[in-house]
Amino acid sequence: MTYSNSVNMSFAVTAPSTHPQIDYPEAVYKSMCVVICSVSGENRVVVGYMNELLKHGVPIIAITNSANSTIARLSTVALAYYVTPQDLDGANLTSQTPAIYIIEKMTRRAMMLARPENVRQLEDNTSYQ
């Protein structure tokens, strides 16, 4: 998912164990903020990735289904949603719809802060605030 049209730059890291995105110049780290979505908040690979980013002082926003998870505790800001976990034969099928909603809300807010001249237009075109 990308929100590059509304904020400076965004990209998805869908496989951090095989395609890590942690080798940047320090100036880039200083301008980053990372949003991590995890239903359980306990993925070891993601926790390792977070620790690398935290070493560089990157703020991390965690969106999880548990405020007490490892990922939530390590993050700079933790946003928890509570939906009933769904599991089918060991596969986690818990909805990430709340996480997507939160990301879209944060993107709109970031855009309003970055471009105040667009606030009125966004308010007119958005049915929810």
Side-chain angles (χ1 to χ4, degrees):
M1 124 184 21
T2 178
Y3 292 97
S4 292
N5 288 338
S6 54
V7 293
N8 291 340
M9 179 182 80
S10 65
F11 55 90
V13 179
T14 56
S17 61
T18 57
H19 296 92
Q21 302 283 331
I22 56 173
D23 190 20
Y24 296 108
E26 280 303 314
V28 173
Y29 285 116
K30 292 194 184 317
S31 67
M32 290 175 88
C33 177
V34 175
V35 177
I36 294 177
C37 300
S38 172
V39 172
S40 72
E42 299 298 338
N43 184 299
R44 289 185 326 231
V45 174
V46 174
V47 169
Y49 188 56
M50 285 179 70
N51 283 324
E52 281 300 312
L53 292 166
L54 289 168
K55 285 179 190 176
H56 296 279
V58 175
I60 297 175
I61 301 169
I63 303 173
T64 69
N65 199 34
S66 169
N68 297 317
S69 68
T70 302
I71 288 172
R73 285 192 319 270
L74 285 174
S75 66
T76 310
V77 174
L79 303 172
Y81 59 90
Y82 297 99
V83 297
T84 303
Q86 305 234 328
D87 184 80
L88 180 64
D89 297 329
N92 188 338
L93 301 177
T94 307
S95 175
Q96 281 281 37
T97 301
I100 299 302
Y101 175 81
I102 292 168
I103 290 169
E104 288 188 4
K105 271 304 253 190
M106 288 188 327
T107 302
R108 280 186 167 69
R109 296 286 184 200
M111 187 174 169
M112 285 193 255
L113 291 171
R115 301 180 192 133
E117 67 276 8
N118 292 335
V119 171
R120 188 74 199 142
Q121 181 182 352
L122 276 174
E123 289 173 349
D124 290 344
N125 294 329
T126 306
S127 60
Y128 59 92
Q129 295 295 321

